[in-house]
């Protein structure tokens, strides 16, 4: 390697080995692609299940992320290989569609590629492997439908939802309070859900946190929490029966959009300008007071003069409230967002039972809690924890729980966890392979073997003998015709996942199999990687 300089003095490197480099293609390229994807899956495998390990990710600036959430790990890893990036996108797809199962889908994709590599070595064409995988995926999805069960729930009976959401929190950092967190997530989703349309808008659930306290102090607030305080320290810290006006107009005189200058030559002229400005403020305050409002929420800031006049006129105000928060406040309180002071009317005011400024511990951090809102279609989950890392991981865990609850409201079908669904699908796919008379039969059997990777990983992460555990459960499932039998990760003395209360959403499990199959088919059909503009 030599370093030389161009005509502008900029250094660049000449590689002596450049002439020996070649572009890999064909079967050799496919094996390299599979190797890259398998290495990503191997990293993720140890994070699977309730006994899975966490990953400590250190960013370029030294910031530390501690998590076992698959989507977060892959997003923070900064993967360079183009094929490995497909697995990162796979995890992101699972996260955006379902919100849970981001680790399992990558592990399954890695297992499918590992099995495919053996088939390629035996001379089977990649297209035949992809076709066999597609046939096996259809059988697996049909099997999931067959073994699934419907759960019944209502706004009054939320225990079935809590049981299932609690399963998704079992492998998270919040597992010691997983039941409480599951209850919070379910109640938050039901507060914003339309059960008739089976629709949930998660944007109406605000997730925020503050360092201090314990995870047990996390609570659900029927309203909005703002990380703000009242604009003047002498304003009252609580407003009962608040009638609030939500403004996107600045509480100050308009600034001229011209380049003209105003020259003041006497003291009287200066005083006159100050009086005009004050009258402008007083006119704004008068319009707010006449509408019946006793609280102002403003998107923009205002100077000390306006702040003093607001205090003098007994009108509490909160400034610098962001656009997303303003929309949530408007939804929760039934307010209309007002862009001009001239448009303020009593009909556009929002109503809340209490708007209170609260202080936390010795940190003097202040927040405003808007509760008892006229319309509870917007809620806030307020997370507490000992440090920032715990709060961030708790927020990620609760987000997964919210997504699981949303999925169950859309479709209340469930399958059982602990790898029981994968084992049942593996047995069904293995049996269906006998009906395939073409070379795709080998790919179908390979798909069945790949499905076993999930219970194998669960067994390994739980400290159990993986192969003997899997073979025992498979034999029991066949003998008893019981698809609920899975890996006893928590050592509760039974392999029946229904007895343990371990559930998973049917949609989540189907999505894992279909997405993993789709991405593996894409990787198998790539036999060359070309840079754009290289020819």
């Amino acid at each position: 390697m030599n370093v030389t300089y161009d005509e502008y003095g900029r250094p660049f490197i000449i590689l002596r080995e450049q002439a020996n480099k070649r572009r890999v293609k064909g079967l050799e390229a496919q094996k390299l692609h599979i190797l890259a994807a398998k290495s990503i899956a191997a990293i993720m495998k140890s994070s699977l299940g309730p006994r899975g390990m966490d990953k400590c990710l250190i960013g370029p600036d030294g910031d530390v992320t501690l998590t076992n959430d698959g989507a977060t790990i892959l997003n923070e890893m900064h993967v360079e290989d183009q094929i490995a990036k497909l697995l990162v996108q796979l995890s992101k797809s699972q996260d955006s569609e379902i919100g849970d199962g981001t680790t399992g889908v990558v592990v399954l994709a890695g297992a499918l590629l590992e099995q495919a590599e053996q088939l390629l070595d035996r001379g089977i064409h990649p297209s035949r492997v992809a076709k066999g995988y597609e046939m096996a995926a259809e059988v697996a999805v049909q099997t999931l439908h067959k073994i699934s069960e419907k759960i019944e729930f209502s706004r009054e009976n939320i225990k079935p939802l809590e049981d299932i959401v609690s399963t998704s929190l079992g492998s998270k950092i919040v597992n010691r309070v997983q039941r409480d967190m599951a209850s919070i997530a379910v109640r938050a989703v039901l507060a914003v859900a339309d059960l008739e349309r089976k629709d949930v808008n998660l944007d109406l659930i605000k997730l925020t946190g503050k360092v201090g306290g314990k995870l047990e102090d996390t609570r659900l607030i029927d309203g909005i929490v703002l990380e703000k305080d009242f604009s003047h320290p002498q304003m009252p810290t609580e407003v009962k029966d608040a009638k609030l006006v939500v403004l996107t107009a600045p509480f100050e005189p308009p600034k001229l959009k011209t380049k003209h200058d105003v020259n003041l030559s006497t003291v009287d002229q200066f005083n006159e300008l100050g009086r005009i400005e004050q009258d402008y403020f007083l006119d704004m305050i008068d319009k707010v007071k006449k509408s019946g409002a006793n609280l102002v929420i403003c998107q923009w800031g205002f100077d000390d003069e306006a702040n003093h006049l607001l205090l003098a006129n007994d009108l509490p105000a909160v400034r610098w409230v962001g656009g997303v928060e303003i929309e949530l406040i408007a939804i929760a309180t039934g307010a209309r967002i007002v862009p001009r002071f001239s448009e303020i009317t009593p009909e556009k005011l929002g109503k809340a039972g209490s708007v209170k400024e609260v202080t936390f511990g010795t940190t003097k951090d202040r927040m405003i809690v808007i509760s008892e809102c006229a319309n509870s279609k917007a809620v806030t989950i307020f997370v507490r924890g000992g440090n920032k890392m715990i709060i961030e991981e708790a927020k990620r865990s609760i987000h997964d729980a919210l997504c699981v609850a949303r999925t169950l409201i859309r479709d209340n079908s469930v399958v059982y966890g602990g790898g029981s669904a994968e084992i049942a699908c593996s047995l069904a796919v293995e049996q269906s392979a006998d009906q395939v008379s073409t070379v795709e039969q080998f790919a179908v059997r390979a798909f069945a073997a790949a499905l076993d990777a999930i219970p194998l990983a669960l067994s390994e992460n739980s400290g159990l003998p993986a192969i003997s555990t899997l073979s025992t459960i498979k034999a029991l499932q066949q003998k008893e015709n019981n698809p609920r039998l899975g890996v006893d990760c928590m050592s509760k003395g039974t392999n029946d996942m229904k007895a343990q209360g371990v559930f998973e959403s049917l949609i989540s499990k189907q999505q894992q199999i279909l997405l993993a199959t789709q991405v593996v088919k894409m990787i198998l059909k790539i036999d060359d990687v070309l840079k754009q503009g290289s020819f």
Side-chain angles (χ1 to χ4, degrees):
M1 182 178 73
N2 291 329
V3 178
T4 187
Y5 300 89
D6 61 12
E7 62 269 25
Y8 299 104
R10 294 175 300 195
F12 63 92
I13 298 172
I14 299 175
L15 297 174
R16 293 177 182 173
E17 300 86 3
Q18 188 68 37
N20 299 326
K21 289 192 174 184
R22 61 189 179 86
R23 195 174 75 239
V24 179
K25 51 188 176 180
L27 183 61
E28 188 180 356
Q30 286 165 336
K31 287 190 175 182
L32 287 175
H33 301 337
I34 291 172
L35 178 63
K38 278 167 55 182
S39 61
I40 294 291
I43 293 171
M44 301 300 300
K45 189 180 291 185
S46 61
S47 295
L48 188 68
R51 297 292 178 90
M53 309 296 284
D54 292 344
K55 298 288 185 287
C56 183
L57 303 163
I58 302 173
D61 298 329
D63 50 320
V64 177
T65 303
L66 196 63
T67 182
N68 73 344
D69 180 63
T72 305
I73 294 170
L74 290 173
N75 191 47
E76 297 286 338
M77 274 175 59
H78 303 295
V79 177
E80 295 293 335
D81 187 90
Q82 303 304 316
I83 304 303
K85 282 182 179 179
L86 287 175
L87 288 196
V88 177
Q89 293 169 6
L90 168 65
S91 183
K92 285 182 179 178
S93 299
Q94 180 75 13
D95 191 44
S96 60
E97 289 287 330
I98 305 297
D100 191 34
T102 52
T103 304
V105 71
V106 174
V107 172
L108 179 58
L112 288 170
L113 288 169
E114 190 173 351
Q115 294 293 328
E117 187 176 21
Q118 299 175 19
L119 297 177
L120 295 177
D121 287 337
R122 295 169 70 177
I124 300 176
H125 195 274
S127 296
R128 307 300 290 271
V129 176
K131 180 71 183 301
Y133 277 3
E134 194 172 355
M135 295 164 61
E138 290 180 11
V139 174
V141 170
Q142 290 170 7
T143 305
L144 287 174
H145 267 292
K146 193 181 299 181
I147 67 174
S148 66
E149 296 181 10
K150 295 278 186 182
I151 60 160
E152 299 300 329
F153 66 90
S154 64
R155 293 189 187 275
E156 293 74 31
N157 178 27
I158 64 172
K159 186 179 181 301
L161 282 179
E162 289 179 356
D163 292 339
I164 300 165
V165 172
S166 183
T167 302
S168 72
L169 295 172
S171 61
K172 311 294 185 183
I173 200 171
V174 298
N175 59 0
R176 65 186 175 88
V177 288
Q178 67 186 93
R179 194 73 195 187
D180 295 335
M181 292 295 185
S183 177
I184 288 172
V186 169
R187 287 188 286 120
V189 169
L190 288 175
V192 302
D194 186 340
L195 294 183
E196 291 182 3
R197 296 172 51 208
K198 297 186 176 181
D199 181 50
V200 180
N201 184 4
L202 290 185
D203 292 335
L204 296 177
I205 302 175
K206 185 183 178 187
L207 197 56
T208 186
K210 183 68 74 173
V211 174
K214 302 172 292 184
L215 283 171
E216 288 86 345
D217 298 329
T218 299
R219 59 194 178 104
L220 176 67
I221 298 169
D222 289 329
I224 308 298
V225 175
L226 301 176
E227 294 189 30
K228 307 287 179 185
D229 54 4
F230 285 111
S231 61
H232 198 288
Q234 294 180 16
M235 286 178 177
T237 56
E238 184 174 9
V239 180
K240 291 282 189 181
D241 297 322
K243 295 180 181 179
L244 50 93
V245 58
V246 180
L247 290 170
T248 54
F251 221 111
E252 59 184 18
K255 293 180 172 59
L256 298 177
K257 297 180 180 179
T258 65
K259 294 183 179 179
H260 293 88
D261 294 329
V262 177
N263 296 317
L264 304 177
S265 56
T266 65
V267 175
D268 292 338
Q269 289 177 341
F270 183 81
N271 290 336
E272 177 68 15
L273 184 64
R275 187 187 61 78
I276 292 171
E277 184 180 18
Q278 193 175 68
D279 289 345
Y280 200 95
F281 283 134
L282 290 172
D283 181 57
M284 289 177 171
I285 293 171
D286 187 55
K287 287 176 179 174
V288 173
K289 298 278 279 188
K290 281 183 177 178
S291 69
N294 57 3
L295 178 64
V296 176
I297 305 289
C298 188
Q299 185 179 14
W300 304 101
F302 33 81
D303 59 19
D304 293 340
E305 179 72 16
N307 212 5
H308 168 73
L309 291 171
L310 286 166
L311 176 66
N313 287 272
D314 297 323
L315 190 60
V318 183
R319 55 186 170 182
W320 299 119
V321 181
V324 175
E325 291 174 331
I326 271 193
E327 290 178 7
L328 287 174
I329 291 170
I331 292 169
T333 62
R336 296 275 298 278
I337 297 174
V338 181
R340 297 182 186 86
F341 282 85
S342 59
E343 297 180 13
I344 299 175
T345 60
E347 296 78 23
K348 295 181 180 179
L349 302 183
K351 293 180 176 62
S354 172
V355 179
K356 186 177 181 180
E357 183 181 280
V358 293
T359 305
F360 296 98
T362 58
T363 59
K364 303 292 185 181
D365 291 327
R366 290 180 290 180
M367 303 180 80
I368 288 178
V369 179
I370 304 174
S371 56
E372 301 173 33
C373 300
N375 177 13
S376 62
K377 275 287 185 182
V379 295
T380 301
I381 298 176
F382 186 50
V383 184
R384 304 304 306 277
N387 58 44
K388 188 178 177 182
M389 275 193 296
I390 287 178
I391 287 177
E392 292 302 318
E393 179 65 3
K395 285 163 71 174
R396 284 189 286 267
S397 304
I398 293 172
H399 175 264
D400 285 356
L402 293 171
C403 291
V404 171
R406 177 190 63 181
T407 304
L408 289 168
I409 286 174
R410 290 177 177 173
D411 186 347
N412 61 342
S413 300
V414 297
V415 293
Y416 293 94
S420 60
E422 285 83 358
I423 293 173
C425 291
S426 175
L427 292 171
V429 171
E430 182 74 31
Q431 197 171 2
S432 70
D434 297 332
Q435 312 300 322
V436 182
S437 58
T438 57
V439 74
E440 280 84 359
Q441 180 184 134
F442 293 96
V444 173
R445 294 190 190 280
F447 194 98
L451 285 170
D452 292 338
I454 300 294
L456 281 171
L458 289 173
S459 302
E460 289 173 5
N461 294 342
S462 302
L464 302 173
I467 295 175
S468 62
T469 301
L470 176 63
S471 57
T472 302
I473 296 170
K474 266 193 163 184
L476 282 173
Q477 274 208 19
Q478 284 181 307
K479 181 181 178 182
E480 300 178 11
N481 193 25
N482 184 1
R484 300 191 301 269
L485 299 178
V487 180
D488 183 15
C489 298
M490 305 305 291
S491 304
K492 291 188 177 180
T494 177
N495 293 106
D496 194 326
M497 294 297 109
K498 187 173 185 178
Q500 287 200 22
V502 181
F503 307 89
E504 290 187 58
S505 164
L506 171 64
I507 294 180
S508 174
K509 194 59 69 178
Q510 285 180 340
Q511 194 79 359
Q512 284 185 47
I513 291 175
L514 293 174
L515 279 177
T517 306
Q518 189 176 4
V519 169
V520 167
K521 282 168 58 183
M522 288 172 57
I523 293 174
L524 288 175
K525 292 187 176 183
I526 298 173
D527 71 340
D528 202 352
V529 177
L530 305 175
K531 287 186 178 179
Q532 290 183 354
S534 59
F535 288 97

